[in-house]
Amino acid sequence: MKIISTLKNEEMINKIIPFVDGIALGCQFSSYSDGTYSVEEIKGIYQILSKNNVKTYILLNFIMHENDIDDVKNFIEEFKNDEVYFIFQDLGILRILSSLNKSKYGIYNPLTMITNYRDIQAYESFSLDAVSLSNEIPLKDVELCSTYFKNIFYLGFGYHPMYQTYRYLLSLYKEHSGLNFTNDNLMLQEATRENDRCPIIENKYGTIVFRNGVISNLEKIELLENVKYLYLDSIFVDENKYLTVLETYFNVVNNLISKEEGLKVISSLNLTINNQFMDVDSVYNPKEFE
């Protein structure tokens, strides 16, 4: 199991390097990321990481439109001579990678879309580096899938997007409500779930709502031992707390501390943890409306 982490800012590089096999960087084609970097900045970070035997991954996690296709292709070609990997959400990017003979550097992460090993097998012929499983299936199903397919990318820690649209929902709400507010550090509260506050962001690619609380799969990390990549995302998490999380996961994965010791450390951080799908499947409960 290899650990991939996001990078909140360049000042954190040397603090993160000892605990990771790869670092994922946001870019102009990231609909969400904890840190966004230009081509020049990514190339500079790539040089630092390569010297430390750490891989570079770029987040292309946006919904691609027709007018984006050439720009995305040109962006990927900027790294044609580099061993840079691309974590993408739109299947159109897979076609671009294939046309550039770079599909082996692709990780397909469609969030909740892939839920069983037959889904994964459908992408085997594309020779991708890895494919992501949904975080809304029980971990026992993830374990089963990993016995059939080893190249799995999986979110081990972080906030998970549960809704994504190209519509600018916050801007529309401002317009129709007459309220004036900044788009920083906003939470969406459901009327029927008063204690659930979901982070919501809006940018040029639309609006994304995240689940209430972070996923933290350390409690049953043994069920993930066959996945290829364990992905840790720092978005919305305090920098110092995240560094503690990252070091703790590294220590548990590499048997430097016990899982029980690691769980005590995570518990001490007072994070809002939401592992509702760890043991049970996602269920839709119909509701009668008047």
Side-chain angles (χ1 to χ4, degrees):
M1 179 192 296
K2 298 178 180 178
I3 294 177
I4 300 177
S5 169
T6 52
L7 182 67
K8 194 179 288 285
N9 55 64
E10 290 190 62
E11 289 70 31
M12 291 180 67
I13 292 177
N14 291 328
K15 298 176 183 178
I16 287 179
I17 281 176
F19 307 115
V20 299
D21 300 284
I23 288 181
L25 305 172
C27 70
Q28 67 194 81
F29 300 110
S30 302
S31 60
Y32 66 94
S33 63
D34 202 13
T36 302
Y37 304 92
S38 66
V39 170
E40 291 73 22
E41 288 171 329
I42 293 172
K43 285 181 174 289
I45 293 171
Y46 169 76
Q47 294 299 325
I48 295 171
L49 298 184
S50 296
K51 291 176 182 177
N52 288 276
N53 296 315
V54 174
K55 302 291 187 184
T56 300
Y57 300 79
I58 300 177
L59 296 169
L60 304 178
N61 54 358
F62 80 121
I63 302 170
M64 188 168 63
H65 282 197
E66 288 292 335
N67 58 351
D68 298 316
I69 294 174
D70 289 340
D71 291 337
V72 172
K73 183 177 181 180
N74 292 336
F75 176 85
I76 293 173
E77 286 187 313
E78 289 280 354
F79 305 95
K80 61 184 178 182
N81 297 320
D82 302 319
E83 192 179 352
V84 170
Y85 294 76
F86 301 92
I87 302 171
F88 64 94
Q89 184 175 326
D90 193 306
L91 276 176
I93 294 176
L94 170 56
R95 303 304 299 175
I96 293 173
L97 289 171
S98 296
S99 72
L100 298 172
N101 295 316
K102 291 187 77 71
S103 58
K104 67 179 180 180
Y105 294 109
I107 296 176
Y108 181 42
N109 179 23
L111 301 178
T112 61
M113 298 297 292
I114 298 180
T115 59
N116 59 79
Y117 79 89
R118 290 295 190 189
D119 284 347
I120 294 175
Q121 288 177 331
Y123 298 98
E124 280 189 287
S125 62
F126 294 106
S127 302
L128 290 164
D129 182 51
V131 174
S132 174
L133 270 175
S134 169
N135 278 97
E136 296 189 357
I137 61 173
L139 286 183
K140 62 179 178 60
D141 288 357
V142 178
E143 180 186 34
L144 176 62
C145 289
S146 67
T147 64
Y148 290 96
F149 186 81
K150 302 300 182 184
N151 297 334
I152 290 176
F153 174 95
Y154 196 74
L155 178 65
F157 176 91
Y159 281 87
H160 180 65
M162 66 176 184
Y163 176 79
Q164 184 173 7
T165 177
Y166 238 107
R167 296 178 177 88
Y168 303 112
L169 299 185
L170 291 175
S171 297
L172 289 169
Y173 182 71
K174 286 181 186 179
E175 179 183 344
H176 291 281
S177 69
L179 297 175
N180 187 23
F181 52 85
T182 64
N183 287 0
D184 298 327
N185 302 314
L186 291 179
M187 295 283 185
L188 187 67
Q189 181 176 317
E190 290 191 53
T192 57
R193 300 177 185 175
E194 294 183 2
N195 295 322
D196 285 4
R197 291 173 173 82
C198 303
I200 180 171
I201 61 173
E202 179 184 287
N203 53 40
K204 65 180 179 179
Y205 293 121
T207 308
I208 301 177
V209 181
F210 296 78
R211 271 173 47 187
N212 169 56
V214 293
I215 289 173
S216 180
N217 287 317
L218 192 63
E219 182 180 343
K220 296 192 174 181
I221 193 73
E222 65 277 4
L223 299 181
L224 302 175
E225 63 180 357
N226 289 324
V227 307
K228 183 173 184 178
Y229 295 121
L230 191 69
Y231 183 59
L232 279 64
D233 194 338
S234 57
I235 194 168
F236 308 128
V237 180
D238 171 79
E239 178 179 321
N240 291 324
K241 288 185 177 183
Y242 179 72
L243 287 171
T244 300
V245 168
L246 182 59
E247 181 177 2
T248 302
Y249 268 76
F250 174 85
N251 288 337
V252 172
V253 168
N254 290 280
N255 299 312
L256 299 176
I257 63 173
S258 69
K259 182 178 71 173
E260 290 69 28
E261 289 174 297
L263 289 171
K264 288 181 181 178
V265 174
I266 299 299
S267 178
S268 72
L269 298 177
N270 295 317
L271 298 167
T272 300
I273 295 176
N274 181 355
N275 287 333
Q276 68 185 92
F277 297 114
M278 181 183 288
D279 296 310
V280 297
D281 213 340
S282 177
V283 177
Y284 175 70
N285 294 317
K287 182 179 179 181
E288 294 294 332
F289 293 93
E290 296 180 359

